[in-house]
Amino acid sequence: MFYQKGQAARREGNLDQALAFQLRAIENTEKAIEINPYNPFSYNNLGNSYKELALISDTRGASSQALQHRIQAAEQYKKALNMGDPRREVHAIWLNFGNLLVDAGDYDQALFYLREFLKAYPENPLGHYWTGYCHFELGEYEKAIPHFEKAIAVQPEMRSWERLAQSYERLGRDEDAIDVYLRALRYAPGSIEVRYNLGVLYHRVGQSDQALRHFEELLKISPDGPYSSRVREMIQVIEMTDRSHSR
């Protein structure tokens, strides 16, 4: 309970409250371990709280403190995994350990734990998303693509659509990226991010009419939103270019 409250407080920007909740969570979990030192999930919970403390330290710019908390979290996850508990649910700890390493930017090592998690949960969208994310950050875009596709097939989320499209863009496959965003648009027709990215990509491949269509639709949805100024500038550029070509 304290862990979830602390996580929510961190996401809302209430860092002092988040810290207090996580310290309470650690205190309660340590008491549970004293009573039963052979429960892997207690060590997993302790690791999760230390991972949250690391994220709080990251937000505050305390990098050395964040590193120490991640070391503490890793120690707890290792204790849990080294118990050899045969229950399938224990494999979820591999995902938590992998995410800890993702937060630290250690993508190669994170992949090891994420692959172990996917052995037990081969259709899990989070496992595939974070595996794809690691490959993406390592510049391994071809390897990232099937994982983002699998994540989308089970749980279509905008972050998966965006990373999938960006993978194709990094490979120079703009037409494939456009197809991804068109699929995303059917899932989220009101997304200004998708409209913006489609406009940019269509402009890049020389399809100015399609670019204008998506930019104009974006302005209808969000006339004063975060993309509006940039989109109006791009519309002017496209229209000026089209006029010069028509002379």
Side-chain angles (χ1 to χ4, degrees):
M1 178 180 69
F2 288 116
Y3 168 75
Q4 285 86 356
K5 286 183 176 180
Q7 194 176 48
R10 176 183 59 79
R11 289 171 176 166
E12 293 167 1
N14 301 323
L15 299 185
D16 289 338
Q17 189 178 57
L19 176 62
F21 279 132
Q22 292 306 336
L23 292 176
R24 288 289 302 277
I26 288 170
E27 180 183 352
N28 288 349
T29 306
E30 287 177 340
K31 288 178 180 177
I33 290 172
E34 287 178 7
I35 297 169
N36 179 9
Y38 305 107
N39 183 353
F41 298 107
S42 293
Y43 294 99
N44 174 62
N45 293 341
L46 197 55
N48 287 344
S49 289
Y50 279 120
K51 183 170 69 171
E52 277 294 311
L53 290 182
L55 293 173
I56 293 168
S57 296
D58 282 338
T59 305
R60 286 177 163 163
S63 56
S64 60
Q65 191 175 53
L67 175 61
Q68 289 304 312
H69 289 316
R70 288 196 171 97
I71 291 171
Q72 290 170 303
E75 289 173 354
Q76 302 309 319
Y77 291 141
K78 286 177 182 177
K79 286 178 183 178
L81 293 171
N82 288 338
M83 286 184 173
D85 191 307
R87 286 176 290 179
R88 179 172 177 262
E89 293 80 6
V90 172
H91 283 79
I93 301 169
W94 292 98
L95 176 63
N96 293 333
F97 206 161
N99 282 342
L100 174 74
L101 293 165
V102 169
D103 291 340
D106 191 351
Y107 304 116
D108 277 315
Q109 190 68 15
L111 281 170
F112 169 77
Y113 292 96
L114 292 168
R115 289 182 187 122
E116 289 298 318
F117 171 73
L118 286 174
K119 287 179 184 178
Y121 298 94
E123 304 301 321
N124 185 275
L126 284 177
H128 282 294
Y129 173 79
W130 288 114
T131 300
Y133 180 93
C134 288
H135 284 303
F136 182 93
E137 292 297 322
L138 291 168
E140 299 169 348
Y141 307 118
E142 291 282 6
K143 292 181 179 179
I145 287 169
H147 288 289
F148 291 134
E149 287 283 15
K150 288 177 181 177
I152 289 167
V154 179
Q155 185 175 314
E157 292 183 331
M158 194 52 63
R159 64 179 182 176
S160 297
W161 292 110
E162 289 176 346
R163 286 287 179 171
L164 177 59
Q166 289 165 5
S167 297
Y168 282 122
E169 287 185 70
R170 298 293 177 87
L171 292 168
R173 295 164 60 179
D174 288 343
E175 294 289 351
D176 287 320
I178 288 172
D179 287 341
V180 171
Y181 280 125
L182 288 173
R183 288 163 55 196
L185 195 63
R186 292 193 290 272
Y187 165 73
S191 171
I192 60 172
E193 289 82 5
V194 172
R195 293 284 183 184
Y196 177 78
N197 288 320
L198 277 169
V200 170
L201 282 165
Y202 274 123
H203 179 53
R204 187 186 299 164
V205 300
Q207 297 187 41
S208 59
D209 55 338
Q210 291 289 354
L212 285 172
R213 182 170 72 85
H214 287 288
F215 284 148
E216 288 168 354
E217 188 62 32
L218 183 154
L219 292 176
K220 290 179 184 177
I221 298 169
S222 178
D224 300 308
Y227 296 100
S228 58
S229 296
R230 176 62 179 152
V231 164
R232 289 187 175 93
E233 290 175 3
M234 293 188 73
I235 288 174
Q236 288 181 346
V237 170
I238 292 170
E239 290 176 342
M240 288 175 62
T241 302
D242 287 349
R243 281 197 296 269
S244 66
H245 288 164
S246 63
R247 290 175 184 172

